[in-house]
Amino acid sequence: MSHTLENVWELYKELKLPSSRSPKASTSVWELHISPYLADRELSSIKTIDVLKLRAKAEAKQLSPQSVRHILALLRRLLNRAVEWELYSGPIPIFDMPKVQNDRTRFLSLEEAAHLLAELQKHSDLWHDISLFALSTGLRSGEIFNLRSEHINVSAQTAAIVDTKSDNRTIPLNDIALSIAQAYLTRNTGQYLFTTIYGNKIQFAGKVYRNAVKRCGLNSGVRDRRQRVVFHTLRHTFASWLVQAGTPLAVVSRLLGHSDIKMTMRYAHLAPQQGREAVTYIDNYIQMFQGSTVEAK
């Protein structure tokens, strides 16, 4: 029996989609970008040239490279599931994925951070505290929202970061972060440190944060989405402030939980003086060596 891509989608929608991270987004990708072109195609008829054509159609809609990746990734996932579920024996077409320049470089100045925190506090103590905690720790939003009571070690002033994008790690908490954690340890009896007013797990930074950013005018006139202030900007701000204060990149990398220090190198331009100081150390050592040589003579 031959199966079409739509047959696989219906199975995927039943078996995998409900537990996926973004079922609505995947459904939209299927309905808008894949189904109109490939839904009725038999699996064996979908070739590499069809993948290339699908990518070209998506790019013709002036979608971002990341959006095009999402489209191709869903198609590849469906075909891989078809093989896994023994609906199709293969081969899987080659997927030439577009490269994404997605590095955000925007960080907040001290004045911008103070303005944003003040605006948040007017409308939500919770989101003020979460944002201040993010600024004080550099944690990803998912890492913050996954924090549980048992992850906070008050006596050691640390937080255990688990189930994250990178390896599990333990980070130090400064006085501000620790005081926030202690307040919510006392306030929340549920399993998560930060919860909604109904005691539910927070999934993402919502309207309260976005509206505060809007009222502060932080994205006014900004067209490049990489330069827009989002919740993740707080993480970049943490790292940028540390580097500007002279913290070595290797330390910043460990605190951020980067799997590769290359990811941390985006902040290197914020501390050009570190290179100057480093070679000055060598200069001092050489002068000491030369001085001792002169004395020996």
Side-chain angles (χ1 to χ4, degrees):
M1 176 182 176
S2 298
H3 294 278
T4 66
L5 188 63
E6 187 163 23
N7 297 148
V8 181
W9 167 253
E10 292 301 325
L11 281 172
Y12 182 82
K13 186 166 65 172
E14 175 188 351
L15 302 175
K16 293 294 181 180
L17 196 61
S19 59
S20 67
R21 292 181 60 184
S22 51
K24 288 184 179 179
S26 294
T27 301
S28 178
V29 166
W30 167 260
E31 292 176 349
L32 294 176
H33 305 295
I34 301 177
S35 178
Y37 308 113
L38 297 172
D40 59 350
R41 293 281 295 274
E42 291 187 1
L43 298 176
S44 60
S45 73
I46 300 176
K47 307 296 185 183
T48 299
I49 189 64
D50 298 300
V51 176
L52 290 172
K53 288 181 179 179
L54 180 64
R55 173 176 171 172
K57 289 178 184 295
E59 291 174 339
K61 297 175 185 178
Q62 296 187 329
L63 299 178
S64 69
Q66 185 64 63
S67 295
V68 177
R69 283 184 71 92
H70 286 321
I71 294 168
L72 298 182
L74 178 58
L75 175 59
R76 182 168 59 187
R77 195 153 58 244
L78 291 175
L79 293 174
N80 282 328
R81 291 296 182 187
V83 173
E84 178 184 330
W85 294 334
E86 299 178 335
L87 303 176
Y88 171 56
S89 60
I92 301 296
I94 296 171
F95 282 77
D96 182 18
M97 308 295 271
K99 294 182 179 179
V100 178
Q101 297 294 329
N102 204 29
D103 290 343
R104 294 183 182 272
T105 57
R106 175 75 156 96
F107 65 94
L108 301 178
S109 67
L110 290 172
E111 294 77 12
E112 288 174 329
H115 189 191
L116 177 59
L117 289 171
E119 192 63 38
L120 283 165
Q121 194 157 40
K122 292 178 186 177
H123 297 84
S124 171
D125 286 338
L126 172 65
W127 279 100
H128 167 272
D129 292 346
I130 290 175
S131 300
L132 184 54
F133 190 84
L135 268 177
S136 301
T137 61
L139 294 178
R140 303 176 178 94
S141 60
E143 293 172 341
I144 293 174
F145 303 145
N146 283 331
L147 280 174
R148 301 171 184 261
S149 301
E150 62 266 27
H151 296 151
I152 306 298
N153 187 326
V154 174
S155 60
Q157 298 188 17
T158 60
I161 311 303
V162 300
D163 301 326
T164 181
K165 285 176 65 175
S166 52
D167 293 337
N168 295 344
R169 67 192 189 281
T170 299
I171 64 163
L173 297 177
N174 61 22
D175 291 344
I176 292 174
L178 182 64
S179 65
I180 293 172
Q182 286 179 300
Y184 282 86
L185 283 172
T186 303
R187 189 178 312 176
N188 291 340
T189 57
Q191 58 181 0
Y192 293 104
L193 184 65
F194 299 106
T195 63
T196 68
I197 58 174
Y198 303 106
N200 299 322
K201 184 177 187 283
I202 299 173
Q203 300 294 337
F204 52 84
K207 289 183 178 180
V208 174
Y209 182 84
R210 293 197 301 272
N211 288 341
V213 170
K214 185 176 181 180
R215 287 190 296 270
C216 290
L218 295 175
N219 289 328
S220 298
V222 178
R223 298 189 176 220
D224 185 344
R225 61 189 180 85
R226 292 170 297 181
Q227 296 298 323
R228 293 180 64 81
V229 172
V230 296
F231 189 80
H232 200 72
T233 304
L234 302 178
R235 176 172 163 86
H236 289 306
T237 302
F238 167 85
S240 299
W241 287 357
L242 284 184
V243 172
Q244 287 178 324
T247 306
L249 288 172
V251 175
V252 176
S253 183
R254 287 197 300 272
L255 291 172
L256 293 176
H258 283 165
S259 57
D260 191 328
I261 199 171
K262 290 179 182 177
M263 300 172 67
T264 322
M265 290 304 295
R266 75 178 77 174
Y267 304 107
H269 70 283
L270 297 173
Q273 193 60 30
Q274 286 190 25
R276 171 63 58 188
E277 291 171 356
V279 296
T280 300
Y281 293 145
I282 299 298
D283 190 32
N284 292 337
Y285 280 128
I286 292 176
Q287 288 180 17
M288 289 173 59
F289 171 78
Q290 289 177 332
S292 62
T293 303
V294 170
E295 291 176 3
K297 291 181 179 179

